[in-house]
Amino acid sequence: ANRGEIACRVMKTCRKMGIKTVAVHSDVDANAVHVKMADEAVCVGPAPTNRSYLNMDAIMDAIRITGAQAVHPGYGFLSENKEFAKRLAAEDVVFVGPDTHAIHAMGDKIESKLLAKAAKVNVIPGFDGVVENVEDAVKIAGQIGYPVMIKASAGGGGKGVHSSIHVKTHFYFEAASSFGDDRLLIEKFVDNPRHIEIQVLADKHGNALWLNERECSIQRRNQKVVEEAPSTFLDPDTRRAMGEQAVQLAKAVKYSSAGTVEFLVDSKKNFYFLEMNTRLQVEHPITECITGLDLVQQMIRIAKGFPLVHRQEDIPINGWAIESRVYAEDPYKSFGLPSIGRLSQYQEPISLPNVRVDSGIQEGSDISIYYDPMISKLVTYGATRAEALQKMEDALDHYVIRGVTHNIPLLREIITNPRFISGDITTNFLPEEYPEGFTGHRLTPEGRRELLATAAALYISAQLRSQRFMGNLRVSTTSQEQSQWELQVELEKKSHLVSLSRSGSSFTVEVDGGSVEVSGEWNLASALLPLSINGNPRVLQCLSRDATGQITLQYLGTQFKLRVLSRLAAKLTGHMPEKVPEDTSSILRSPMPGSVVAVSVKPGDMVAEGQEICVIEAMKMQNSLIAARAAKVKSVHCKAGETVGEGDLLVELE
């Protein structure tokens, strides 16, 4: 009862076990990979999730039509919906997950905390119950001691506040966005928190195991970006204590199936229960890599009523695994705003050893505004963490994704960041490392020379190729091929003089007072450009090049736009008129594709700098767009409910 990569992941295990599968899909997903992979497929409604993947009636009908005996809910959608589990039980269909009482108990933040406390699991000191009013909230916060965290019981991330004034403003905010449930949770705010979770596996016979931890501290907007197993931070004693408490909790709620107990861990290795996810987690592959277990297979066995075959001492930590979540997102806009489009070219780096890619798309697939923009989960595995990181770097360089904006630049910067490599991470890693927002790879002087030399050599290779036809020079009367060139390369609004000399497929490039040796096959038709630069292997991607010398290269994960010109052409460009850039302070364009939730202004209104003008929603994320300066509204080009594309004009100011 899911789509995309997780549906494909479950089907792979079913195929291995000889179990036939049924895919459900919305009409826009009719050609999706999970639909082609299943033995049967049933359409359950139109694109919006509430009318298809969350449409219980349609899914129950699909079960009846196909005679399905069991349902795997994946993650998201109906995976933690006790109503769905109840309806399946009423029809004697097995839910591959825990029973309804465990879903109910763990789905409520306040109830789950009380249960955890009763099961002797460490919980964050705080108040759990109904907070009557704002005065009450201030009093409780004072008793716990600042900083405190205030959050709605029915979900949402909550926020750390440091004084009674902040408590007041935040009380109203959380109450307003409380999913129709008025109860609030106020608790101690943990310093430099790490988000570490324990994978548990329990059967219907009272056996339960913990399958080590996953470090999930690299997050943006409370969503994980990079995960690894094991964690660099835990010692064997802390690991065991966390594992045993996770199992205690699972046994307390008579849990059966795979589940995850999430903990916050402070700088002194004190750990506190956060919540329990009663489903398979997105990041389960890293646990599979280090333990050798197939978690989906275990879930299906448990659902059928088999006891666990492993004992706690059988669960190893073999090597190190890292997962990067590859999203169709623009990482330069608040660490990732959704991007949509069709994958015009798509090549997974699965030819590399110890690389696993869990995806539910292929070349030609559409990334739409209706669903999560995840492209894949890229997992690398090594005997040591350094080896796994090196493999991840190579895999990201070999990953070809064209047609949508993706977050590979951010992922590659994270895994090569010295602070990340040292293991010194918290959930605030991204805002701390990139306080001004993510800007891509910062070139060192040596890196700049490498990039300029590669662009120049690529330009000459393309010229030499265009002079030949079927291996011979097009014009037979021309003298011998040229072997030395003088060029000018523009990068980041600066011009650099470059001299090249060629011997065979190697170029020696003099640029910025240094010499760079670049050699390779120069296959201009390939998506990947494997080169040797000064003896070091590098994989670049040439994303575009045109007749005017414009070349876009992906180098160390980040895209760079360059322009290569002959010295004569460079001299003549000085006479070209310049295009005047648009005045962005008086117009407001949509930063991403989505639908307009609200428009707060009309023509003739005066707006102040920073005032909200409209709200755009895409893929479960709302973005408030604000005025860049104080001005009068000249015209409004959108209204609530409309769908807009990236770059569409929304509002003009005078």
Side-chain angles (χ1 to χ4, degrees):
N2 214 302
R3 66 181 296 281
E5 71 84 16
I6 192 63
C8 296
R9 166 70 193 89
V10 173
M11 286 172 198
K12 278 179 192 151
T13 289
C14 287
R15 192 172 280 174
K16 201 167 76 180
M17 296 173 77
I19 299 171
K20 283 197 157 43
T21 54
V22 178
V24 292
H25 64 91
S26 64
D27 53 10
V28 294
D29 270 346
N31 292 319
V33 177
H34 78 280
V35 174
K36 294 174 184 168
M37 208 169 165
D39 296 288
E40 293 178 71
V42 180
C43 181
V44 287
T49 48
N50 57 343
R51 295 169 63 193
S52 53
Y53 295 103
L54 293 173
N55 181 349
M56 279 191 234
D57 294 338
I59 292 174
M60 294 307 295
D61 285 344
I63 292 166
R64 288 184 205 106
I65 295 163
T66 57
Q69 298 159 289
V71 173
H72 196 301
Y75 53 73
F77 295 141
L78 297 169
S79 61
E80 295 179 275
N81 186 312
K82 57 179 187 291
E83 209 44 56
F84 182 55
K86 265 185 198 149
R87 286 182 69 170
L88 291 173
E91 306 231 356
D92 277 340
V93 176
V94 175
F95 178 72
V96 183
D99 352 8
T100 47
H101 73 268
I103 298 176
H104 172 75
M106 291 294 118
D108 181 310
K109 280 193 176 150
I110 289 176
E111 193 176 331
S112 65
K113 206 171 163 187
L114 293 170
L115 276 162
K117 226 178 203 170
K120 302 208 167 22
V121 175
N122 300 353
V123 293
I124 300 173
F127 173 82
D128 26 34
V130 180
V131 180
E132 294 301 332
N133 51 36
V134 71
E135 286 75 28
D136 208 7
V138 171
K139 191 172 118 196
I140 293 162
Q143 286 165 356
I144 295 167
Y146 291 101
V148 295
M149 167 82 99
I150 300 185
K151 53 188 173 186
S153 171
K159 194 164 179 166
V161 289
H162 294 260
S163 69
S164 58
I165 297 158
H166 290 128
V167 168
K168 288 176 183 168
T169 53
H170 212 73
F171 176 83
Y172 294 116
F173 172 76
E174 281 294 337
S177 61
S178 62
F179 306 96
D181 181 340
D182 302 340
R183 296 166 306 157
L184 284 180
L185 191 58
I186 303 181
E187 61 194 15
K188 185 85 180 147
F189 185 63
V190 179
D191 77 307
N192 296 330
R194 279 172 181 260
H195 182 133
I196 299 178
E197 58 191 31
I198 299 282
Q199 175 71 54
V200 293
L201 201 55
D203 63 19
K204 292 176 163 44
H205 305 272
N207 306 308
L209 303 170
W210 48 275
L211 310 181
N212 306 313
E213 79 281 7
R214 292 187 288 257
E215 167 74 76
C216 305
S217 298
I218 306 285
Q219 304 182 355
R220 51 115 181 81
R221 296 190 299 274
N222 288 334
Q223 271 191 317
K224 299 160 190 166
V225 183
V226 175
E227 304 102 353
E228 59 182 312
S231 165
T232 54
F233 191 60
L234 296 191
D235 52 68
D237 293 342
T238 313
R239 178 177 296 119
R240 187 177 309 106
M242 288 173 78
E244 284 169 357
Q245 289 200 11
V247 163
Q248 275 160 242
L249 180 63
K251 286 182 170 170
V253 291
K254 298 192 173 57
Y255 195 84
S256 67
S257 193
T260 297
V261 182
E262 300 192 347
F263 291 99
L264 273 187
V265 185
D266 71 13
S267 49
K268 297 183 185 64
K269 294 190 185 171
N270 297 314
F271 57 91
Y272 305 103
F273 169 75
L274 198 58
E275 62 180 342
M276 181 171 191
N277 289 311
T278 55
R279 55 175 165 80
L280 190 62
Q281 290 278 76
V282 177
E283 58 277 11
H284 73 272
I286 52 177
T287 297
E288 296 184 328
C289 286
I290 64 162
T291 59
L293 291 180
D294 178 334
L295 290 178
V296 176
Q297 184 184 9
Q298 295 297 324
M299 288 178 84
I300 295 171
R301 280 179 49 83
I302 291 165
K304 181 81 175 112
F306 289 116
L308 290 172
V309 289
H310 300 87
R311 297 189 309 276
Q312 191 60 56
E313 54 270 26
D314 300 335
I315 306 299
I317 297 185
N318 284 332
W320 212 283
I322 295 168
E323 173 181 285
S324 293
R325 297 194 188 187
V326 182
Y327 275 100
E329 285 183 339
D330 185 344
Y332 300 99
K333 295 177 181 171
S334 59
F335 298 117
L337 288 189
S339 148
I340 61 167
R342 176 165 293 172
L343 291 162
S344 54
Q345 202 173 359
Y346 182 72
Q347 237 170 272
E348 294 175 348
I350 42 183
S351 57
L352 301 177
N354 288 0
V355 172
R356 167 176 167 177
V357 182
D358 282 21
S359 67
I361 52 160
Q362 60 192 21
E363 200 162 281
S365 291
D366 281 311
I367 306 283
S368 73
I369 59 170
Y370 299 107
Y371 311 115
D372 187 62
M374 185 191 277
I375 293 174
S376 75
K377 302 182 312 204
L378 177 62
V379 181
T380 59
Y381 173 74
T384 61
R385 184 169 185 257
E387 191 186 320
L389 281 170
Q390 184 55 54
K391 283 193 163 52
M392 181 60 77
E393 217 174 300
D394 294 344
L396 289 167
D397 284 341
H398 282 82
Y399 208 145
V400 179
I401 305 169
R402 312 274 163 88
V404 295
T405 312
H406 54 75
N407 67 338
I408 283 180
L410 175 64
L411 296 171
R412 205 181 179 293
E413 281 303 290
I414 292 170
I415 60 145
T416 54
N417 182 303
R419 188 177 147 195
F420 178 77
I421 292 168
S422 72
D424 168 28
I425 54 175
T426 71
T427 51
N428 304 320
F429 177 85
L430 287 176
E432 283 169 7
E433 285 298 295
Y434 309 103
E436 301 296 310
F438 179 68
T439 53
H441 179 72
R442 294 237 170 94
L443 288 171
T444 58
E446 187 190 353
R448 183 173 287 107
R449 278 197 295 273
E450 281 191 12
L451 185 59
L452 293 165
T454 304
L458 186 67
Y459 174 81
I460 294 299
S461 296
Q463 275 206 340
L464 293 174
R465 187 177 77 159
S466 65
Q467 288 169 12
R468 303 184 79 87
F469 177 69
M470 293 181 76
N472 301 316
L473 286 171
R474 285 175 186 272
V475 185
S476 54
T477 53
T478 50
S479 56
Q480 212 42 44
E481 278 185 299
Q482 201 178 336
S483 63
Q484 287 189 313
W485 297 266
E486 300 286 314
L487 301 172
Q488 181 174 312
V489 186
E490 292 171 12
L491 169 66
E492 294 170 342
K493 296 183 182 160
K494 283 197 186 127
S495 292
H496 305 260
L497 297 177
V498 177
S499 308
L500 287 89
S501 58
R502 179 178 82 107
S503 89
S505 61
S506 296
F507 291 89
T508 303
V509 187
E510 302 290 330
V511 56
D512 288 356
S515 177
V516 182
E517 293 280 338
V518 190
S519 62
E521 284 184 18
W522 304 104
N523 178 354
L524 304 178
S526 165
L528 298 171
L529 198 59
L531 300 173
S532 165
I533 305 181
N534 286 341
N536 300 317
R538 285 249 191 268
V539 177
L540 283 80
Q541 294 184 31
C542 177
L543 305 180
S544 67
R545 55 187 179 82
D546 64 18
T548 65
Q550 306 272 6
I551 296 178
T552 307
L553 287 176
Q554 184 174 310
Y555 170 71
L556 303 180
T558 297
Q559 295 182 18
F560 292 96
K561 287 187 165 63
L562 302 103
R563 192 172 179 205
V564 186
L565 299 167
S566 66
R567 296 276 168 99
L568 175 64
K571 209 161 123 190
L572 295 173
T573 49
H575 302 290
M576 299 291 281
E578 266 191 46
K579 189 178 174 186
V580 182
E582 184 175 52
D583 173 18
T584 51
S585 66
S586 56
I587 54 167
L588 187 69
R589 292 188 182 277
S590 175
M592 60 179 186
S595 58
V596 181
V597 179
V599 182
S600 330
V601 295
K602 56 186 187 298
D605 286 1
M606 291 302 296
V607 290
E609 184 181 337
Q611 183 180 331
E612 180 177 287
I613 290 182
C614 62
V615 178
I616 305 282
E617 180 177 24
M619 298 163 185
K620 304 179 290 190
M621 252 173 54
Q622 290 201 351
N623 265 301
S624 169
L625 305 183
I626 58 171
R629 59 183 174 84
K632 189 175 184 180
V633 178
K634 183 177 168 187
S635 57
V636 176
H637 299 270
C638 62
K639 52 179 187 282
E642 278 184 355
T643 303
V644 292
E646 184 176 353
D648 284 7
L649 183 61
L650 303 175
V651 175
E652 283 184 276
L653 305 176
E654 285 184 3

